[in-house]
Amino acid sequence: MPEISVIISQRNSGGALVEQMPVLIAQLDALDQSFEIIVVDDASRASTVETIENLCRQIPPLRAIRLDRRVGLSGSVVAGIRVSTGDKLVFTSAGLEYPPHQIKDLLDAQSRGDLVIGRRATPSSARWLNRIVRTPRRMLLNMDIHDPGCQFWSARREALVNTPLPRGSYQYLAAFVAMRGYRVTESPIQYDALAAPDESLDDGWPSPLNLACAWWLCRRWQEPSYAELRRTENLLPELRVAFFDDMRDSKRAG
């Protein structure tokens, strides 16, 4: 079973995948840990599917699943997590907009958080706007992630495998992980917008309805806590019979 699962969600980005694979595999080999790469195809054109199939034949650690209809970024992430098997998960987009050499930094940062989200640098001209946009999320979800739309993160498998991610709610992934009691942190990363795929996969424009649903889910979610009862010492067979007879007698008396 691999130690690391790299999930790549994409749509109609076969060329970006071909360019990405050699660089990504070189960086994963350098980590000296077993790995798998999972491409989640969000109902691409036939030409992209053919490209992915050719890559799977050439690259043994590469697996691919094709969704029968478009589900967007959130649905693709859920599908990738579901089929992954590694204890450490890494998510990235197709292409080299997120340089793969930073995967090691994200994995190292897991000592500080169960989910480590990449944080792209914000131009000084957009910082005030970014702060205003973050205000509703901070007030309603008590989660101030600077770059929730970043498609580059790493996580411990247990923090994500049962975490809900409704359609259109990718930007609230950190809040859903935190509501289950897991630690969320950020790590600065490099980002090359010029290397982004021609057709980026996303959930569309943020919707107030999605924010309201995320707030409701975080308010209503209850993660059960439990403790195992301490067992008594093993009894000899004849004492065990007497023990259960005493239990039955006490129930009848009650």
Side-chain angles (χ1 to χ4, degrees), residues 3 27-34:
E3 298 173 80
Q27 295 299 324
L28 292 173
D29 283 336
L31 296 176
D32 197 25
Q33 299 182 58
S34 58

Side-chain angles (χ1 to χ4, degrees), residues 7-12 38-46 48-49 52-53 63-83 91 167 201-203:
I7 303 169
I8 304 173
S9 294
Q10 66 84 45
R11 179 189 298 139
N12 298 324
I38 301 171
V39 172
V40 181
D41 178 67
D42 192 30
S44 294
R45 294 186 294 264
T48 299
V49 175
I52 296 174
E53 290 175 341
R63 302 166 54 201
I65 59 173
R66 185 170 190 261
L67 305 178
D68 58 357
R69 59 184 177 86
R70 291 188 176 185
V71 298
L73 182 58
S74 298
S76 298
V77 170
V78 171
I81 293 172
R82 185 174 298 169
V83 302
F91 180 79
R167 183 176 181 179
L201 187 62
D202 55 40
D203 278 341

